Amino acid sequence: MLRKKKPLRKLPFIVLTFFLVLFLAGVISGEPSRVLEQSWQICLSCIGIG
Amino acid sequence: MELARKWVQLVIALLTNGYWGFPATRTIYQGPLKVVCSPGLNCYSCPAATTYCPLGALQQLMLSIRFNLENAQYYLGWYVLGCIGVVGAFLGRMVCGWACPFGFFQELLYKIPSRKFSVPRPLRFIKFGLLLFFIFLLPLFVVNDFGMGNPWFCKYVCPAGTLEAGLPLLWLQPELRNTVGLLFYNKVAILVFFVGWSVVASRPFCRVACPLGAFYALFSRARLVKLQLDREKCTKCEACHHVCPMGVKFNESPDDFECITCLACMDRACKFDAISLTVGGIPLRSGEVRKPVVSKPQ
């Protein structure tokens, strides 16, 4: 008996593409440098000190 | 497979916390890798952290949106959302099972011999409320006169931040100890609560209070890599119920948002190859029923 071929699910690729576009939009708007700035600083109030 | 998973968890925990110069510098890592997103919950104020925490970065962007827009800076959190969205679309909560240092920490705590309890299932919806309010709405709308909000989850809840950043920084920078107040004691109490709970229950923080887990849970049906149930092969023996660290009844809800794809059900429980790991719907392993070997009569 022939094994039935499993169909490729499309939804994950659509979702993946959406977030890739979002990611690229963030890169274009210069957000990585802002994230870098934030992550280089110790935010004391963020960790409950001060 | 379980051993392989433990190794992956350890390697990722070491990679995302790979800055071991902090005892000498007495501060956090400030190199270019901090632009890379940590897939799991890992505080970026941790002295050893080499990557940024998506939840921390997202809150920081949310709380300063008004201020940034007034200064013509269009930082809307797309980069961070895009990063964790791509990870989520690929792996969903598999990240929790394989790449989260705080999840790994809870698994180690659960190995401490003690009486074990289950986590009441209705509590698992709390994390979606924390994601919506503490990560997005409160930082966005509760603002001061300058239009700046607070990182509500980091500031008032996150036990990973207390463990990885708060306590080590107090040790590294003694002058900070004078500034410790009620806020910090509250966070230490939350950490102690979840540490204690993790000894007697499997991954309670992941199941009840992790907003990052809640975000990845939104991809439970749409993620690329996931476990799939073959209903024709399933005998409903319920063996998968007993091995799941997240309390998922896999044969009843194969798309359960709590599934962290640790593969325990596929590897350790199912004897009928009814569970397979799939990528985009294509099984990675073609399962054949393991029938008992019967020798043919001569």
Side-chain angles (χ1 to χ4, degrees):
Chain A
M1 198 173 71
L2 280 173
R3 188 180 282 245
K4 225 194 309 183
K5 198 179 173 188
K6 300 263 181 186
L8 192 69
R9 289 166 56 234
K10 289 184 187 123
L11 185 61
F13 295 99
I14 296 167
V15 175
L16 194 61
T17 309
F18 171 76
F19 281 101
L20 263 176
V21 170
L22 212 60
F23 169 79
L24 290 174
V27 171
I28 290 164
S29 65
E31 247 177 54
S33 58
R34 180 79 185 112
V35 168
L36 205 56
E37 262 173 48
Q38 288 166 354
S39 59
W40 280 349
Q41 295 162 8
I42 303 172
C43 175
L44 291 177
S45 66
C46 304
I47 51 176
I49 302 173
Chain B
M1 189 58 78
E2 184 60 14
L3 188 63
R5 191 173 70 90
K6 285 278 176 286
W7 274 106
V8 172
Q9 285 176 305
L10 181 65
V11 168
I12 291 179
L14 290 175
L15 282 177
T16 51
N17 294 287
Y19 176 64
W20 291 99
F22 70 84
T25 61
R26 296 198 166 264
T27 189
I28 63 171
Y29 169 72
Q30 290 171 325
L33 281 175
K34 275 256 170 105
V35 79
V36 178
C37 177
S38 163
L41 193 66
N42 193 61
C43 185
Y44 59 12
S45 287
C46 169
T50 49
T51 52
Y52 77 84
C53 172
L55 289 186
L58 207 51
Q59 285 168 91
Q60 288 290 345
L61 290 167
M62 289 296 124
L63 67 87
S64 57
I65 276 185
R66 288 159 197 250
F67 184 82
N68 288 335
L69 288 178
E70 281 169 11
N71 291 293
Q73 293 173 323
Y74 301 98
Y75 303 143
L76 304 172
W78 290 354
Y79 172 68
V80 183
L81 266 180
C83 282
I84 50 174
V86 166
V87 174
F90 262 109
L91 302 171
R93 291 202 75 182
M94 192 173 183
V95 172
C96 309
W98 291 74
C100 179
F102 200 66
F104 182 41
F105 175 62
Q106 289 172 84
E107 282 188 8
L108 295 179
L109 288 172
Y110 190 61
K111 288 190 183 296
I112 296 172
S114 70
R115 199 175 156 200
K116 304 297 180 190
F117 299 89
S118 62
V119 176
R121 283 178 71 80
L123 295 184
R124 63 192 184 146
F125 294 104
I126 292 173
K127 59 180 173 286
F128 293 101
L130 286 170
L131 173 68
L132 182 65
F133 287 97
F134 279 61
I135 304 297
F136 289 101
L137 298 183
L138 292 173
L140 199 56
F141 292 113
V142 182
V143 292
N144 62 18
D145 295 341
F146 303 103
M148 298 284 282
N150 273 309
W152 282 70
F153 184 75
C154 294
K155 190 171 179 177
Y156 298 108
V157 183
C158 187
T162 312
L163 180 71
E164 296 173 3
L167 295 173
L169 283 172
L170 286 180
W171 169 62
L172 287 173
Q173 300 182 6
E175 66 276 11
L176 288 178
R177 291 172 198 165
N178 299 327
T179 61
V180 166
L182 198 60
L183 191 63
F184 188 70
Y185 295 128
N186 167 59
K187 285 199 66 182
V188 171
I190 290 173
L191 172 65
V192 170
F193 172 72
F194 277 110
V195 165
W197 199 3
S198 301
V199 174
V200 296
S202 175
R203 284 177 169 258
F205 180 74
C206 308
R207 292 159 82 172
V208 173
C210 182
L212 191 56
F215 180 81
Y216 287 140
L218 301 175
F219 297 87
S220 60
R221 286 177 188 273
R223 60 179 161 141
L224 204 60
V225 181
K226 62 186 293 196
L227 287 174
Q228 195 164 284
L229 179 72
D230 187 334
R231 293 197 184 277
E232 285 175 12
K233 289 181 182 172
C234 179
T235 61
K236 298 184 178 63
C237 67
E238 298 185 355
C240 51
H241 297 194
H242 306 297
V243 295
C244 182
M246 298 294 281
V248 173
K249 296 176 177 175
F250 190 78
N251 70 322
E252 291 172 12
S253 57
D255 287 326
D256 197 300
F257 62 74
E258 291 291 83
C259 176
I260 57 170
T261 323
C262 65
L263 309 182
C265 53
M266 185 181 91
D267 260 13
R268 299 210 316 263
C270 188
K271 303 287 181 215
F272 305 97
D273 282 326
I275 303 171
S276 57
L277 187 65
T278 64
V279 178
I282 313 290
L284 284 182
R285 248 174 39 163
S286 62
E288 294 298 331
V289 178
R290 285 175 234 161
K291 289 174 183 167
V293 178
V294 182
S295 56
K296 286 180 182 173
Q298 297 295 320

